Amino acid sequence: MRTALLTKAPSLRQRVRDGFFRDRSANVRVADLVRGTSLRCRLPELAGKSVAIATGSQLTAGLALIELDGVARRLLILPPDVDPSHLPALFASAEIDAVVTDGETAAHPEFDLPLRVDVGAEIALTDRLPEPARDTEWVMLTSGTTGVPKLLAHSLAALTGAIKPAASNDLVVWGTFYDIRRYGGLQIFLRAVLGGASLVLSRAGEPIADHLDRLAQYGVTHLSGTPSHWRRALMSPDLHKIVPRYVRLSGEIADQTVLDSLRTAFPSASVGHAYASTEAGVAFEVTDGLAGMPQSYFDVDRDGVEMKIEDGSLRIRSPRRASHYIGSDAVLTDADGFVDSGDMLELRGDRYVFAGRRGGIINIGGLKVHPEEIEAVINRHPKVRMSLVRPKASPITGAIVIADVVLESGAAVEADEIGVVKGDILKLCRDTLPRHKVPAAISIVPSLDVAATGKLARRHKVQG
């Protein structure tokens, strides 16, 4: 007699329809997992375990997630850049008693558990597939923190709450610049799996030209990334090879310049930007081609999601949010169930626009400056592709702002013209911004660092 309670909702494996996972070296039919396994026929050993997914490949991580949902008690999804020194604390908090690795997993003593199972891109038919018997807890790491990341627990129902049924039988091929082991990429992974779509994945360290070539080879129709991902792609001469029907931005502020640039690059595509976070889940999507979001989005229930602004910060109450922190006394929501996002908004006309992160403010002589606001102005210059504003110590004001600027590909500027371009950028800033927000200096640089999250790497310390 079976004693385990069946999961209230179908497991991910039970909801698989069709489609392929494709990366640089593998092409896997996902529906083969209905009667097969990528875990060397060892899936039954992982039943009821708290399992760390520690693969080098996104593709094998995706296969393992499908198989283990409804079977494992808990899944700890490790991003590829996790600091190895944090693994002991993360494993202890998540009560890890098994690990799934692949041939690309970097060696680390923490992975030498008594129960270690390999996952591969080959699916073997088997009649030893355990029935889903539980609601698996999906655990993700917080991003943008110093020290050991916090662990956030999600349910599959919350993770998939924003995903609507496929509207038609049209062929859909998803691509993403994200890694699927982070929240933004995981959303695309789940959309592909539940929609019966194919998913084209990148490999760590892969040049963007190679990724674009593969996206073109498999006919990508839907493509997602951060604004920084997209600005890099817009600089590539290989971008013309892809013709997506749907372009999605999330993870950073989508300013009007990057939205307009994508509209120009893909005139037949629907261009949308979404707001989501690991803590609050997917909150909304904007598809009108404009930066920010309408004021009407607030103080109403929109598909179960409510938003308000308190002390300038966006707060979200949603059934799609994480359920709790694991191994931490940190509080996820306020007394009314709202998550404080830390993203600051300003009302301009009938539209709210993102000003920046509360933790990223630069203090200039007592005046608060959001670097993203200055970057949005600099990015309007026709020869600029992307920019990064950061503080520099000043004996008078405590700090001043300076800007590193990457020019458009093809916007060749002779050495004697650099000063003219810088002057034009400064004039644009002076004409648009208050005096204390105008950069004291501008440097033309060949590139800007983008973190593993897909966001601009901001390393400056917060000014008090």
Side-chain angles (χ1 to χ4, degrees):
M1 180 176 179
R2 184 181 301 163
T3 58
L5 293 176
L6 287 179
T7 183
K8 294 179 181 178
S11 71
L12 200 55
R13 182 203 291 271
Q14 291 172 316
R15 297 168 72 180
V16 162
R17 291 170 55 189
D18 209 341
F20 291 81
F21 288 170
R22 292 172 166 130
D23 70 5
R24 186 172 56 196
S25 59
N27 188 357
V28 180
R29 186 173 184 267
V30 183
D32 288 345
L33 288 175
V34 174
R35 297 180 302 277
T37 178
S38 62
L39 293 166
R40 316 299 191 208
C41 296
R42 297 184 65 188
L43 180 61
E45 298 176 53
L46 297 170
K49 301 293 186 182
S50 184
V51 183
I53 307 296
T55 62
S57 161
Q58 292 190 67
L59 187 147
T60 54
L63 296 176
L65 289 171
I66 294 172
E67 291 203 55
L68 287 165
D69 180 59
V71 175
R73 174 174 72 91
R74 172 180 289 164
L75 297 175
L76 173 61
I77 306 172
L78 295 176
D81 62 327
V82 63
D83 187 335
S85 69
H86 294 160
L87 289 175
L90 295 173
F91 278 29
S93 294
E95 301 175 338
I96 295 301
D97 48 21
V99 62
V100 170
T101 60
D102 63 9
E104 299 180 26
T105 302
H108 190 275
E110 205 67 22
F111 298 151
D112 294 329
L113 296 176
L115 184 50
R116 175 170 172 167
V117 175
D118 288 334
V119 60
E122 305 81 19
I123 297 177
L125 292 177
T126 178
D127 56 3
R128 297 182 62 236
L129 293 177
E131 291 189 35
R134 54 188 48 82
D135 288 316
T136 298
E137 194 173 57
W138 293 53
V139 181
M140 306 197 74
L141 277 60
T142 56
S143 61
T145 59
T146 56
V148 180
K150 294 185 179 69
L151 299 178
L152 280 161
H154 287 265
S155 68
L156 183 62
L159 289 169
T160 58
I163 300 175
K164 306 300 182 185
S168 70
N169 293 321
D170 290 346
L171 176 67
V172 172
V173 178
W174 270 103
T176 177
F177 295 113
Y178 284 109
D179 191 293
I180 67 168
R181 291 159 290 190
R182 297 189 181 280
Y183 189 86
L186 187 65
Q187 281 292 306
I188 304 308
F189 162 79
L190 292 170
R191 285 172 184 268
V193 172
L194 299 182
S198 293
L199 177 61
V200 182
L201 298 163
S202 63
R203 287 286 186 130
E206 183 177 35
I208 192 168
D210 292 354
H211 190 193
L212 290 171
D213 279 345
R214 189 163 56 258
L215 291 169
Q217 176 186 353
Y218 292 116
V220 66
T221 62
H222 294 55
L223 188 54
S224 169
T226 66
S228 290
H229 282 141
W230 278 112
R231 290 186 181 102
R232 281 186 159 186
L234 286 162
M235 296 175 68
S236 172
D238 297 287
L239 186 67
H240 72 278
K241 296 178 180 179
I242 62 173
V243 190
R245 302 197 305 261
Y246 174 69
V247 168
R248 178 184 175 99
L249 303 88
S250 61
E252 292 178 299
I253 297 173
D255 62 36
Q256 196 61 51
T257 301
V258 72
L259 293 171
D260 291 344
S261 296
L262 289 169
R263 169 63 64 203
T264 300
F266 306 116
S268 299
S270 170
V271 178
H273 57 100
Y275 182 90
S277 73
T278 311
E279 293 83 359
V282 179
F284 61 85
E285 183 176 18
V286 180
T287 58
D288 61 8
L290 300 177
M293 77 290 295
Q295 187 177 5
S296 60
Y297 277 28
F298 288 82
D299 300 318
V300 295
D301 185 318
R302 303 181 71 252
D303 195 21
V305 178
E306 299 171 79
M307 301 189 298
K308 66 179 182 178
I309 298 173
E310 191 170 307
D311 298 325
S313 176
L314 172 63
R315 299 181 185 236
I316 302 166
R317 181 164 61 191
S318 170
R320 305 168 188 167
R321 67 168 173 82
S323 59
H324 62 281
Y325 289 105
I326 292 176
S328 170
D329 295 329
V331 178
L332 182 61
T333 68
D334 64 17
D336 296 321
F338 283 86
V339 175
D340 182 359
S341 71
D343 288 309
M344 310 302 286
L345 294 177
E346 295 178 357
L347 183 61
R348 299 177 187 171
D350 63 352
R351 205 167 182 88
Y352 276 104
V353 296
F354 286 98
R357 293 285 297 166
R358 180 170 52 217
I361 290 174
I362 301 170
N363 191 328
I364 301 178
L367 300 172
K368 308 297 185 181
V369 174
H370 291 287
E372 295 92 341
E373 179 186 4
I374 304 171
E375 290 161 7
V377 173
I378 294 173
N379 293 344
R380 293 181 204 166
H381 191 282
K383 289 190 176 181
V384 171
R385 171 51 62 200
M386 59 195 305
S387 60
L388 174 71
V389 169
R390 53 190 174 88
K392 181 178 180 181
S394 166
I396 299 174
T397 61
I400 55 175
V401 292
I402 58 177
D404 296 327
V405 175
V406 178
L407 299 181
E408 282 270 16
S409 57
V413 179
E414 300 295 333
D416 58 352
E417 296 179 359
I418 290 291
V420 175
V421 173
K422 291 181 179 180
D424 289 345
I425 295 171
L426 283 172
K427 183 178 185 304
L428 178 61
C429 291
R430 292 189 185 107
D431 291 345
T432 310
L433 298 166
R435 182 176 178 181
H436 66 281
K437 296 182 181 180
V438 175
I442 290 176
S443 299
I444 305 299
V445 298
S447 63
L448 292 170
D449 289 339
V450 174
T453 58
K455 304 176 185 180
L456 277 177
R458 300 183 186 274
R459 301 186 179 92
H460 71 265
K461 295 181 179 179
V462 177
Q463 304 295 311

